[in-house]
Amino acid sequence: MASDDNSGISFSFSDSQQSFRLLELPPPLLELLSSDNPPTLSLKSAISPPTSTGASGPVSSNAVLCTGNQTFHLRQVHSSNSIFLVHPSVSQSVDGDRSSASSGLSVTATCKATLELSPANTSPLPYLKQHLQLYDGADDEFEASTGIPSSPANLDSVNKLDLFSNVPYSKGECERAWTDICAFEFNNVAMRPTARALAGAWKAILSGATSQALRLSSEFQLEDLWTIVEDDGYPRGLIEAVIHRLSFDGVVKDSACLDQTRCVRWVGTTFLESEVHSNAGVPVKQFLKEWQDKLPEEWQKYATVDVLEGSFSQPTATTILSNDGGSSLAVAGPAPTIPNTTVSKGFAGGRKWHDKFKAARR
């Protein structure tokens, strides 16, 4: 005998369909989100992509998903199968004087594509290079109205917080790139120093520390160092950025201690990149002697060509040329100048920054 009971599940479409995107999470990210302290996720995109690609390759201008220290590219993947997002529903049926309720499923959205995440293997450096103001040295002339170096007309002044908000990478990756290029803020404007500025700042640090018997290889106070180098005309933010770049674990509160390995390589690549020379390069023996003279005495013996592996080429067996393989962003050849700016060769005798700004405020 046939039964009148309907053992099936009712399946219907809701009158109002909602918009959804399904996000497929890679296992490491899913594990993080399932942990006791899940990270905050953010969606970011750049206002404008970099005009050129960096050494790490082109950077996508599409939206990305970021944790605190990792970036994932978003990719939409279409499917030939329909994916329904359903909610439980209850339907009423009336048969004569009898009414009954049955459980079922109601479709509230149809997803024809999913979003996949893939870890970004590029760097935020191209974005930072494009949007950071250039600082070329202690003798830069400054605009009286702003107290900052002149820059190309198409480069807007931006501070660090706003810059990071518009760079499609996680905050942690942006911070690492910021530290790597010794970027700094002055008057709420983010800047990046050229190789010549970095070389001059390091020269001021080393000569000042040597004259006052301040050992950079031991823990020292930043305030003590700043008191020594203040008259050399470099902004405090730049001096501290260089120290942070070369320290063991960055700057801890108000003290630091330079790491020998980081410092020896960085000084070598920076000074090689700051050299004004032709494509013929500079004599290796000359460069090694100058490099050693720019290091603390106890580290001079470590200044050998093999330390710079990946950051130079040799046009001949006796010459060496920077190929910008180091982590600083200066270019080989003549140091870049800033348009509408008068730049001196050296920094000795330059006026202090605060003296320049006093004149600007009058």
Side-chain angles (χ1 to χ4, degrees), residues 82-149:
S82 296
I83 301 174
F84 298 124
L85 189 64
V86 298
H87 284 178
S89 64
V90 177
S91 59
Q92 296 285 340
S93 62
V94 178
D95 184 9
D97 295 334
R98 294 171 24 182
S99 64
S100 60
S102 61
S103 300
L105 296 175
S106 176
V107 177
T108 57
T110 302
C111 300
K112 297 182 179 180
T114 59
L115 295 175
E116 288 185 349
L117 297 178
S118 60
N121 56 5
T122 52
S123 167
L125 288 179
Y127 282 93
L128 298 188
K129 290 171 67 175
Q130 176 174 323
H131 294 288
L132 285 170
Q133 298 245 13
L134 275 178
Y135 171 75
D136 197 46
D139 282 338
D140 274 347
E141 292 295 329
F142 294 84
E143 293 181 356
S145 60
T146 62
I148 60 175

Side-chain angles (χ1 to χ4, degrees), residues 310-321:
S311 65
F312 71 93
S313 59
Q314 289 194 261
T316 68
T318 59
T319 58
I320 188 171
L321 178 70

Side-chain angles (χ1 to χ4, degrees), residues 6-12 89 102-105:
N6 184 0
S7 58
I9 299 176
S10 65
F11 189 80
S12 60
S89 64
S102 61
S103 300
L105 296 175

